Amino acid sequence: MTLEEVRCQDTVPESTARMQGAGKALHELLLSAQRQGCLTAGVYESAKVLNIDPDNVTFCVLAADEEDEGDIALQIHFTLIQAFCCENDIDIVRVGDVQRLAAIVGAGDEAGAPGDLHCILISNPNEDSWKDPALEKLSLFCEESRSVNDWVPSITLPE
C-alpha cells in the first residue's frame, strides 16, 4: 500500500462527515435567511444585487442538476458569478440538486413549478454584521476548501 492510498483511506470518513456537516449548515442557513428576508433567488436577480450592493452579500449558492450541466448560457453565468464572488470575498458553494433546494426554500410559482434557483444569494439583513452559526460553519468549510485549491466546493444537501 502506498502512502497516498493510506492518506485517502484516512480522509474519506473525515471528508464525508465534513460534507454532511456543511450540507446541514447550508440547510439551516437557507431557512434562517428566508425567515429574515435576506435571500435572493435567481441568476438575473442575483446579478442585480451583486452589481448594486456586493458588500452586503455574505454567501452564494450555485445550483445545477445534471441536465443543467449542458446549458452553456447558465455555465457562462456561473463562471461570471464565481469570478465576481471570488473578487469580492464572497463565499460560494455548488449544489447538485435544484429540486431539493426548492423543497427547502419553498420557491415556486402558483402552478407549483420551481422558480429560478440556480443562484441564491444570502445578504446581511441590516448594517450590523449578521452572525449565524450555520454561516460561520459554512465560511470555515469554504476557507478549508480553498486551502486545498477547491475554490467552489460542492455540497450535498441532507434529505
Side-chain angles (χ1 to χ4, degrees):
M1 192 178 268
T2 66
L3 182 60
E4 288 80 18
E5 290 171 337
V6 171
R7 284 185 183 161
C8 282
Q9 286 179 346
D10 291 342
T11 60
V12 169
E14 179 183 307
S15 65
T16 301
R18 184 174 165 262
M19 181 70 69
Q20 289 173 343
K24 184 178 179 196
L26 180 58
H27 183 269
E28 292 169 6
L29 179 63
L30 290 168
L31 292 174
S32 176
Q34 188 176 33
R35 277 192 305 271
Q36 295 195 19
C38 52
L39 189 133
T40 302
V43 172
Y44 296 110
E45 292 80 3
S46 297
K48 288 179 199 172
V49 170
L50 287 170
N51 188 38
I52 293 170
D53 193 11
D55 293 334
N56 199 27
V57 177
T58 59
F59 201 79
C60 178
V61 179
L62 297 178
D65 290 326
E66 285 183 27
E67 63 265 9
D68 294 326
E69 295 300 324
D71 185 344
I72 294 173
L74 182 62
Q75 297 307 317
I76 291 170
H77 289 327
F78 279 3
T79 301
L80 294 171
I81 290 170
Q82 288 174 23
F84 192 90
C85 288
C86 288
E87 183 73 23
N88 289 282
D89 297 321
I90 298 168
D91 289 325
I92 182 171
V93 296
R94 286 190 78 131
V95 173
D97 191 351
V98 177
Q99 296 300 324
R100 180 70 187 121
L101 203 54
I104 293 170
V105 298
D109 58 19
E110 292 78 29
D116 179 11
L117 296 176
H118 290 106
C119 183
I120 295 177
L121 296 181
I122 297 165
S123 304
N124 281 328
N126 55 32
E127 295 300 317
D128 296 332
S129 182
W130 182 43
K131 296 295 179 195
D132 185 290
L135 179 61
E136 291 177 17
K137 284 180 193 175
L138 284 167
S139 293
L140 181 60
F141 174 80
C142 289
E143 184 178 324
E144 290 171 353
S145 296
R146 284 191 298 271
S147 72
V148 292
N149 291 325
D150 186 6
W151 295 96
V152 184
S154 293
I155 291 181
T156 303
L157 291 166
E159 293 297 321

